[in-house]
DNA sequence: TATTGTTATACTCTATAACTATA
DNA sequence: TATAGTTATAGAGTATAACAATA
């Protein structure tokens, strides 16, 4: 009988499936907070003000899109465009007080995707955490190949 | 010092980050095959013919969207609409020969997301596979909460 | 000249509602 | 009456290209 996880192909597919399994509850969460997934991802990143150009890099989309995404978040009073003292071309995207509040609530809810983690024991969760940490690294996921 | 993975919250966030890390190379792959992510997900599932209604469930989107997605895949000659012998209301979505070929190529490339897996040892990959398998289950990811 | 953010444009994804043909 | 797929419509994400302000 074939051993599970014997090759990287199998693992990559599994990772893909696990990602799929995470997406569903994430999107449900977005709906609950009345945000689109990109809007949520953008807001979640705004711990500190970020140039719009950098936001495009984070979201991995063309900079022109950030305009619209920021517009819609701004309409809801969740973010604000601030000038950059160092470079007047740059606009910093910053979460408002309401934005920070929502961001914290969303992040807390994100931690509650327990249906996913309930299938594992405490020990297994610990091992999985360690492996995922090693895998996902410092957030510098595989880029530069597009 | 705080132990890694001591609570489910931390793990859920890690899972989310890992999913993010998988998305980038997946989308790059879609670009390479000149498909949108949904189109790719749809084609990847078409191992066997599938009612359009079921495809909507797989993609977790409204059934009305499947029309357009199928249209675009059909235009490229990758899928075909077939009648269902049992129920004449139903149309089965089936991959054409070209569709099956592309599906296999895509699936193979999907297994080559090695940058992600290269950070782990063979033993670690094996453990991770087992845990992910337990986590993602039989593909029946947490639904019913939207 | 190069870069930042915006605008205009076009395509795709997404949901809702109304429609048809079948059941 | 209910269900499968379509169509019409509208909002949002996405990329490309051209633009104004700034570097």
């Amino acid at each position: 009988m074939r051993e599970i996880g014997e090759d990287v192909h199998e693992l990559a597919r599994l990772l893909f499936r696990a990602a799929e399994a995470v997406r569903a509850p994430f999107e449900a969460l977005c709906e609950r907070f009345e945000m689109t997934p990109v809007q949520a991802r953008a807001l979640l990143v705004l711990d500190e003000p970020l140039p719009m150009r950098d936001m495009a890099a984070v979201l991995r989309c063309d900079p022109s899109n950030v305009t619209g995404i920021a517009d819609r978040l701004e309409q809801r009073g969740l973010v604000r465009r601030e000038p950059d003292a160092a470079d007047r071309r740059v606009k910093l995207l910053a979460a408002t007080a309401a934005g920070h509040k929502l961001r914290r609530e969303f992040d807390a809810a994100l931690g509650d995707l327990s249906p996913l983690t309930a299938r594992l024991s405490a020990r297994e969760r610990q091992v999985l955490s360690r492996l995922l940490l090693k895998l996902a690294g410092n957030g510098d996921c595989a880029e530069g190949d597009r």
Side-chain angles (χ1 to χ4, degrees), chain A:
Chain A
M1 171 185 168
R2 197 153 147 268
E3 189 83 16
I4 278 183
E6 72 179 26
D7 65 328
V8 284
H9 284 225
E10 183 69 19
L11 177 55
R13 290 196 195 88
L14 267 175
L15 260 177
F16 180 66
R17 275 179 57 191
E20 288 274 308
V22 169
R23 191 208 348 235
F26 175 67
E27 288 185 355
L29 217 52
C30 291
E31 256 180 64
R32 173 138 69 91
F33 284 91
E34 293 180 295
M35 293 205 291
T36 65
V38 207
Q39 286 171 12
R41 286 167 57 209
L43 186 61
L44 280 171
V45 139
L46 284 184
D47 191 27
E48 298 184 356
L50 195 70
M52 299 187 67
R53 210 76 183 182
D54 295 0
M55 180 59 85
V58 167
L59 301 179
R60 262 174 250 107
C61 71
D62 191 89
S64 63
N65 299 323
V66 179
T67 300
I69 296 167
D71 281 351
R72 289 179 270 279
L73 286 173
E74 200 169 32
Q75 274 176 0
R76 290 184 53 186
L78 298 175
V79 306
R80 189 173 37 220
R81 284 169 164 93
E82 295 177 348
D84 183 341
D87 187 337
R88 283 194 298 176
R89 291 173 305 181
V90 173
K91 292 178 188 172
L92 298 173
L93 230 46
T96 61
H100 277 298
K101 182 166 177 292
L102 192 62
R103 201 173 63 77
R104 280 192 304 269
E105 287 172 8
F106 199 109
D107 189 57
L110 202 56
D112 268 336
L113 301 184
S114 40
L116 274 171
T117 58
R119 305 187 187 195
L120 303 180
S121 71
R123 171 75 186 135
E124 287 173 325
R125 284 200 297 268
Q126 191 176 337
V127 172
L128 180 59
S129 289
R130 195 179 58 74
L131 290 175
L132 284 179
L133 205 56
K134 198 165 177 181
L135 187 77
N138 327 331
D140 59 331
C141 47
E143 286 190 73
D145 49 347
R146 53 157 61 192

